[in-house]
Amino acid sequence: MSEAFDALKAREQASVMSTYGRYPLAVASAGGCRMRDLDGREYVDLLAGIAVCNLGHCHPEVADVVAQKARELVHVSNVFYQREQVELAEALKATCHMGKVFFCNSGAEANEGAIKLARRYMRTVKNRDAYEIITLTKSFHGRTLATLTATGQDKIKFGFDPLPEGFTTVEAGDIDALGAAVSDKTAAVLLECIQGEGGVKPFPREYLEAVQALCRQRDILFMIDEVQTGMCRTGRFWAFQNYGLTPDVFTCSKALANGLPMGAVLATDEVAAGFVPGSHATTFGGGALVSAAASKTIEIMNRDKLAERAQRLGDFAKALFAEVAERRPGKIAEIRGLGLMLGIELTFPGADVWKALMDKGFVCNLTQDTVLRLLPPLVVEQDDLKAFAEALEAILA
Ligand SMILES: Cc1ncc(COP(=O)(O)O)c(C=O)c1O
């Protein structure tokens, strides 16, 4: 590592709380699918800030909107009407079957909002004292107290108890376990169609359909976390659209404003009636600047058909990785994913492979110890995916 990197690392350790296992890379600038470090070395970014910069880094059209809004209207407060927020809500509604949107700032905050909405809808619209949220093992829903309780991974809960009541976790993929967990206290089921942090694990269509059917049958809410899967990443605007599902509530964040912090809860008109003025709020939610950036992001995604592109390039990448698996027998256990949400599960712990890829100039992520996770900008080029596959093949030799 360079002197500049070492100096920055030392300053970071002296002043920033130690909550992240950081990669040995300091990013100085980024554009499209490339990042540059402090010494000007270029990397192919196949992570996009963990599914955030779906249009690529520093997209020029989004940058223009941000620059213009920064001089026109940044923040006033949600006590005022703002055209930019309304336009974004309309643009989001046009992507799906939902009736109303609540804006916030992150994925965890969106899920927290969905949990609150489910509880309040049950109490105030359905007149039922139902509050329990059922989630799945290996899920990830965020780091606030409620969302980490909802998350089906014990390692992120350690040291934070007492945790809030009203959450149950059942085995992912087991519809009978889910059915058995539903009681008169259940308000909703919350799941990711493809578990991201859980190792890029898509659920079978039949399971997802069965969960939706169960929710309808037992008159509880079906809620989907689209924080990582949403915004064209999986080949449709929202992952649930790959399966023809119609959740009552879904959440999004990450790529919504292509890098600016933003989250949203979308619900049917019926469920959205669970909130009334004063029941939920957040200072920065849906401010003019981020809303304008998000509207521009959605406009570009639709114009440039990025969902279709994600589908096409995802299929291309999977075929490439399958060839690598064939030429390097015994090294790759499975290639999974949908669109440009891809997981390459190795047959052994992958830290060395992940690091070697970075040394060769390719940034991806390692999850669940053995899974190389790729969440590239949706504008990634075939040549970048080819170069990555070649590097991986060489490393696995
Ligand atoms: C599926 C899912 N839900 C929620 C979150 C939490 O989002 P945030 O980190 O913005 O709070 C994440 C973050 O990785 C996620 O992948």
Side-chain angles (χ1 to χ4, degrees):
M1 285 297 121
S2 72
E3 255 175 55
F5 174 82
D6 289 341
L8 186 66
K9 183 175 171 183
R11 285 170 60 198
E12 192 266 359
Q13 285 175 344
S15 300
V16 180
M17 277 196 207
S18 178
T19 64
Y20 300 101
R22 295 197 200 269
Y23 295 0
L25 172 60
V27 183
S29 65
C33 298
R34 294 289 185 277
M35 299 195 294
R36 276 163 297 280
D37 71 11
L38 297 175
D39 304 301
R41 181 173 179 210
E42 200 167 84
Y43 293 79
V44 177
D45 181 19
L46 301 173
L47 196 53
I50 315 194
V52 169
C53 299
N54 283 9
L55 302 181
H57 294 283
C58 303
H59 192 285
E61 290 173 78
V62 178
D64 284 347
V65 166
V66 170
Q68 188 204 332
K69 279 291 157 200
R71 295 185 181 282
E72 190 181 292
L73 185 64
V74 175
H75 172 85
V76 277
S77 161
N78 275 313
V79 300
F80 301 103
Y81 292 91
Q82 293 161 78
R83 184 171 43 83
E84 293 81 356
Q85 186 179 111
V86 176
E87 284 171 356
L88 175 58
E90 289 168 350
L92 280 168
K93 280 175 54 171
T95 65
C96 62
H97 62 287
M98 292 306 191
K100 296 279 188 321
V101 188
F102 173 83
F103 291 109
C104 55
N105 307 285
S106 69
E109 200 187 350
N111 286 329
E112 187 91 20
I115 292 163
K116 286 179 71 178
L117 177 61
R119 288 183 172 181
R120 217 169 177 289
Y121 166 75
M122 285 295 169
R123 262 73 176 255
T124 64
V125 179
K126 301 287 267 188
N127 288 316
R128 268 161 54 191
D129 186 30
Y131 52 83
E132 197 162 73
I133 310 294
I134 303 179
T135 59
L136 306 181
T137 51
K138 290 261 173 86
S139 59
F140 185 83
H141 299 297
R143 302 281 190 160
T144 62
L145 277 171
T147 58
L148 81 80
T149 307
T151 292
Q153 303 189 51
D154 285 341
K155 64 179 183 203
I156 78 154
K157 302 182 188 187
F158 178 76
F160 294 122
D161 51 313
L163 299 175
E165 288 174 34
F167 293 88
T168 305
T169 303
V170 301
E171 187 63 31
D174 183 343
I175 192 68
D176 295 333
L178 184 62
V182 175
S183 73
D184 58 357
K185 296 289 173 213
T186 307
V189 172
L190 171 66
L191 57 74
E192 304 146 84
C193 292
I194 305 169
Q195 293 188 328
E197 304 295 312
V200 192
K201 293 239 176 79
F203 286 112
R205 168 186 290 271
E206 307 76 60
Y207 174 71
L208 294 171
E209 285 173 351
V211 174
Q212 175 168 291
L214 179 82
C215 290
R216 299 281 141 84
Q217 210 178 29
R218 306 292 293 268
D219 199 17
I220 57 174
L221 296 179
F222 181 38
M223 310 205 296
I224 295 185
D225 179 336
E226 288 273 355
V227 168
Q228 189 166 142
T229 52
M231 302 296 289
C232 298
R233 175 147 302 276
T234 67
R236 301 294 298 266
F237 209 98
W238 306 106
F240 64 78
Q241 292 168 335
N242 287 293
Y243 309 96
L245 302 170
T246 50
D248 303 295
V249 177
F250 76 87
T251 54
C252 75
S253 182
K254 286 194 182 281
L256 181 51
N258 205 52
L260 297 185
M262 186 171 224
V265 183
L266 288 92
T268 59
D269 283 317
E270 147 94 12
V271 176
F275 280 160
V276 295
S279 52
H280 193 49
T282 182
T283 294
F284 289 114
L289 187 144
V290 276
S291 291
S295 286
K296 182 51 86 174
T297 300
I298 293 172
E299 180 193 318
I300 295 167
M301 285 180 166
N302 287 328
R303 182 194 69 197
D304 296 352
K305 299 192 170 27
L306 290 187
E308 287 93 327
R309 185 185 166 86
Q311 177 77 60
R312 202 170 56 246
L313 287 187
D315 289 346
F316 173 80
K318 276 199 259 187
L320 278 181
F321 303 157
E323 287 168 24
V324 174
E326 228 169 78
R327 287 196 290 264
R328 295 284 177 264
K331 299 287 171 69
I332 294 178
E334 197 180 15
I335 294 152
R336 296 191 289 264
L338 217 54
L340 282 171
M341 180 169 182
L342 296 163
I344 303 172
E345 180 159 8
L346 303 173
T347 53
F348 54 95
D352 290 346
V353 173
W354 166 80
K355 178 66 174 43
L357 282 163
M358 189 123 91
D359 291 342
K360 283 177 177 280
F362 296 93
V363 173
C364 65
N365 162 253
L366 185 71
T367 181
Q368 302 291 319
D369 260 359
T370 55
V371 183
L372 296 171
R373 178 170 51 158
L374 274 63
L375 300 159
L378 308 183
V379 296
V380 68
E381 297 291 344
Q382 285 195 356
D383 282 351
D384 289 333
L385 295 167
K386 269 192 210 160
F388 169 83
E390 279 163 21
L392 179 63
E393 185 169 337
I395 291 163
L396 293 179

